[in-house]
Amino acid sequence: MTLQEDLKQRTRRLAAMLEEAEAAVIATPVNIFYLTGRIINGYVYIDGSANRLVFLRRPLGINETGYHYIRKVEQIPDLLREYGIRVPEKLLLETDELPYNDCMRICKAFGCEKPGNATKALRSLRSIKSGYEIGLLRQSAKFQSEALAEIPALFKPGMTDHELCVECERLFRMKGCLGLFRTYGTDMEGFMGSLLAGDNADTPSPYDFALGGAGMHPSLPLGDNGTALREGIAVMVDINGNFNGYIADQSRTFSVGRLPDEAYRAHEVSLSIHHSISEIAKEGTVCEDLYALALDIAEKNGLKDRFMGHRQQAKFVGHGIGLQINELPVLCAKNTSCLQQGNVIAIEPKFIIDGVGAVGIENSYAVNADGLEKLTTAEENILQLGR
Amino acid sequence: MTLQEDLKQRTRRLAAMLEEAEAAVIATPVNIFYLTGRIINGYVYIDGSANRLVFLRRPLGINETGYHYIRKVEQIPDLLREYGIRVPEKLLLETDELPYNDCMRICKAFGCEKPGNATKALRSLRSIKSGYEIGLLRQSAKFQSEALAEIPALFKPGMTDHELCVECERLFRMKGCLGLFRTYGTDMEGFMGSLLAGDNADTPSPYDFALGGAGMHPSLPLGDNGTALREGIAVMVDINGNFNGYIADQSRTFSVGRLPDEAYRAHEVSLSIHHSISEIAKEGTVCEDLYALALDIAEKNGLKDRFMGHRQQAKFVGHGIGLQINELPVLCAKNTSCLQQGNVIAIEPKFIIDGVGAVGIENSYAVNADGLEKLTTAEENILQLGR
């Protein structure tokens, strides 16, 4: 499958979700990239008859069939008429992500009163990855795994978590990490992921991350906070695995010297949750069942109140990944939807140990008819920094 | 002025823009931070009577007057009634930035049909910085200036632009740069700014940056693209000056070896535009006049078609900065608004020289009654890398 064939397939799949008199007008970078393979300032128009037209302001210089330069969105309906395309009666816009005023302006241009929800359709489409997309996630995961293997060598005694975090960022960037961390919705901000050392891992977060951290400044309460990397604390590294637009999600735990035994035991419980989920999860498995299974294993090991945080606990154990870090499906309570072939999910059972920090691992898996394919292959045991 | 006093002042200023029966419900991180000094997952409610209440879901653990935990936005009107506050008849929401569905859900909760525009009010408020805020921008500019001074020493012969960019990112992060680059609206994405070497600086960009660059991957067409740093090319560094939430904006040009004379001449024209603007700009100066002045100087020096790009030219010479990189005012044609005391603006006359790259500098200035205060103090001449 080439990118061009895959893009055609994406357009066809979206068009098939539309009625004949409906069209989706897509305006956010992530979905424009999904549908065209490029970033433009403009709009992708796809209708129920599978017409795909791109209307753009920038960049200049694209001379390709189906691309039309415009100054403003109001020109689109007239241009559609020129091309003999019936102006749609109903418009789907990315109402979960596109600002209110942008939506209203597009509606007005098309003579529609209010928009339908294209975000829902695109989130659903994007949750089923093609073989081509899974190949890219596999590639991102491979680069990320290679980078994680080099982290112990970056450590120098006396470092703070911030210093180690910056060295990790440099390592990832030198290996080709693009840095950008696309997120769905407005509940997350961030830079390049997080490195959480010691009790900072348990700082209650405003963001929708499993573990947040206090951060270096109140304007970005996320990640490292200047903690000294002293003997006996755990360092959880959860840094951006975006090497080609698709974001692999893989966390690993490192230690400064040796940790208390309970930390290794809790880490083993995380590995055992991965093992148990991998044994049952496949196409058709119910999402909430996987969360319940994880919670059950945590409880049986006396770690329920340490699971996914302690002072503030996240109520999920995994989530879809792709062009954004928080895609569908979500592995949480009350999600009765089933895993589908082509889902790619990150599973991240993590535990908080007082005075030590966060332990556990996060892996990314592709969902197949008969089970999971693990994409993330870095060493899973706790590695000692500086060794 | 302390932060707490400044926050009270910000609430009062916003309340003064509201009618008695109006309230603003603020939901984006940047404006929540502006009004409370923290990031929360929730809402800041401010009404025409200057009541300020914060309704939040996360982080847990805030035990402070005026903060109320909620599960969902629908609880807010009942809580207002409990506190004896009249539920507003008209609601202002951040309609330029908050997604359509979020806006509609808040409106429905309050029984309003459609929202007024709080983004406009907040962008206007935020464009006038307090002394406290200018102090923070001065501090960010100082750290950024110190980092820029160390860039020549990072260069090693044989490097690519990407390698140098990553070393610059590390340098900035080690000095305390927070990394996050908050932007207004949906026309920009980015990681940590850009390093543009040679002809890559003239790649037409989809984004609303003066000069974009092709980037390392089509999913993020911005910045370095793997160009070899060979003798005779210019390297423009425009990397994130966010050291405390407030983003200083400062670009500098470096050279690999010596550049052709026309590059130094064009760089001098950039300095002379800064000089000419600094001579006339103060409270009351009309924004479009400054753009016209810059364009005029470029034209008189035969550089009109090289100004702010060549293959694709940006139509402005400067912009406000603050918590976001693209604040008000914009120094562009047809902007007849006047500079106001407390504006902080970045001015960035840049030129493209074929086969060499981008030259010129960007400085940040605070606007006073009698002129501009330059905040960014790194060396302005072209510095040779490796020296």
Side-chain angles (χ1 to χ4, degrees), chain B residues 321-346:
Chain B
I321 57 171
L323 294 172
Q324 291 172 321
I325 191 65
N326 51 342
E327 299 205 353
L328 296 176
V330 185
L331 307 185
C332 61
K334 296 183 191 168
N335 183 359
T336 55
S337 66
C338 295
L339 292 183
Q340 293 179 268
Q341 177 146 8
N343 286 161
V344 179
I345 52 177

Side-chain angles (χ1 to χ4, degrees), chain B residues 372-386:
Chain B
L372 301 181
E373 178 200 352
K374 182 160 75 177
L375 305 179
T376 44
T377 56
E379 166 64 39
E380 299 189 347
N381 291 309
I382 297 176
L383 291 182
Q384 202 169 317
L385 292 170

Side-chain angles (χ1 to χ4, degrees), chain B residues 69-80:
Chain B
Y69 282 95
I70 56 170
R71 281 170 293 103
K72 51 185 187 177
V73 69
E74 286 74 12
Q75 297 171 259
I76 297 178
D78 278 346
L79 286 167
L80 291 176

Side-chain angles (χ1 to χ4, degrees), chain A residues 103 120 137 242-243 257 261 283 294 327 332:
Chain A
C103 287
K120 219 170 152 179
L137 280 157
N242 172 10
F243 290 80
D261 287 348
E283 186 176 25
E327 299 205 353
C332 61

Side-chain angles (χ1 to χ4, degrees), chain A residues 96 101 169 173 182 219, chain B residues 96 101 169 173 182 219:
Chain A
D96 285 357
N101 285 341
E169 289 167 5
R173 290 278 289 145
R182 287 193 175 94
S219 65
Chain B
D96 285 356
N101 285 341
E169 289 167 6
R173 290 278 289 145
R182 287 194 176 93
S219 65

Side-chain angles (χ1 to χ4, degrees), chain A residues 168-373:
Chain A
C168 290
E169 289 167 5
R170 176 184 176 280
L171 168 67
F172 275 61
R173 290 278 289 145
M174 283 292 186
K175 289 202 175 282
C177 176
L178 299 173
L180 183 66
F181 205 66
R182 287 193 175 94
T183 60
Y184 163 73
T186 51
D187 289 347
M188 287 184 177
E189 292 185 301
F191 177 54
M192 206 171 149
S194 68
L195 182 146
L196 298 172
D199 288 333
N200 179 43
D202 196 29
T203 308
S205 173
Y207 298 119
D208 196 14
F209 295 108
L211 304 174
M216 295 295 285
H217 190 267
S219 65
L220 185 62
L222 177 66
D224 53 286
N225 71 338
T227 295
L229 297 180
R230 60 165 179 76
E231 176 90 13
I233 67 174
V235 178
M236 178 164 287
V237 176
D238 188 358
I239 291 184
N240 190 340
N242 172 10
F243 290 80
N244 54 36
Y246 287 81
I247 313 173
D249 205 1
Q250 178 172 210
S251 309
R252 289 296 183 265
T253 302
F254 301 88
S255 69
V256 186
R258 204 177 146 77
L259 305 180
D261 287 348
E262 62 174 320
Y264 294 101
R265 278 197 301 271
H267 191 80
E268 285 300 320
V269 176
S270 172
L271 299 184
S272 114
I273 290 173
H274 279 277
H275 185 74
S276 297
I277 287 180
S278 297
E279 281 203 322
I280 66 160
K282 59 183 182 184
E283 186 176 25
T285 307
V286 178
C287 290
E288 65 175 359
D289 291 353
L290 297 179
Y291 178 64
L293 173 62
L295 203 59
D296 186 53
I297 297 172
E299 188 165 14
K300 282 186 176 136
N301 285 277
L303 290 166
K304 192 181 173 188
D305 71 332
R306 305 269 147 198
F307 182 55
M308 305 303 282
H310 176 57
R311 290 164 64 195
Q312 176 178 302
Q313 293 183 287
K315 301 292 186 191
F316 66 93
V317 72
H319 53 87
I321 56 170
L323 293 172
Q324 290 172 321
I325 191 66
N326 50 343
E327 299 205 353
L328 296 176
V330 184
L331 308 185
C332 61
K334 295 182 191 167
N335 182 0
T336 56
S337 66
C338 295
L339 293 183
Q340 294 179 269
Q341 177 146 9
N343 285 161
V344 179
I345 53 176
I347 298 178
E348 50 176 326
K350 297 174 181 174
F351 297 97
I352 294 290
I353 309 297
D354 286 341
V356 177
V359 298
I361 65 167
E362 175 176 40
N363 279 328
S364 299
Y365 302 90
V367 176
N368 292 316
D370 55 354
L372 300 182
E373 177 200 353

Side-chain angles (χ1 to χ4, degrees), chain B residues 124-159:
Chain B
S124 162
L125 276 183
R126 281 175 33 210
S127 76
I128 312 289
K129 275 80 181 169
S130 67
Y132 180 85
E133 290 180 287
I134 292 172
L136 290 173
L137 279 158
R138 205 180 277 121
Q139 184 191 51
S140 273
K142 180 173 170 284
F143 287 128
Q144 189 185 37
S145 303
E146 288 169 10
L148 284 164
E150 293 181 29
I151 287 180
L154 297 177
F155 176 76
K156 291 188 182 67
M159 265 184 165

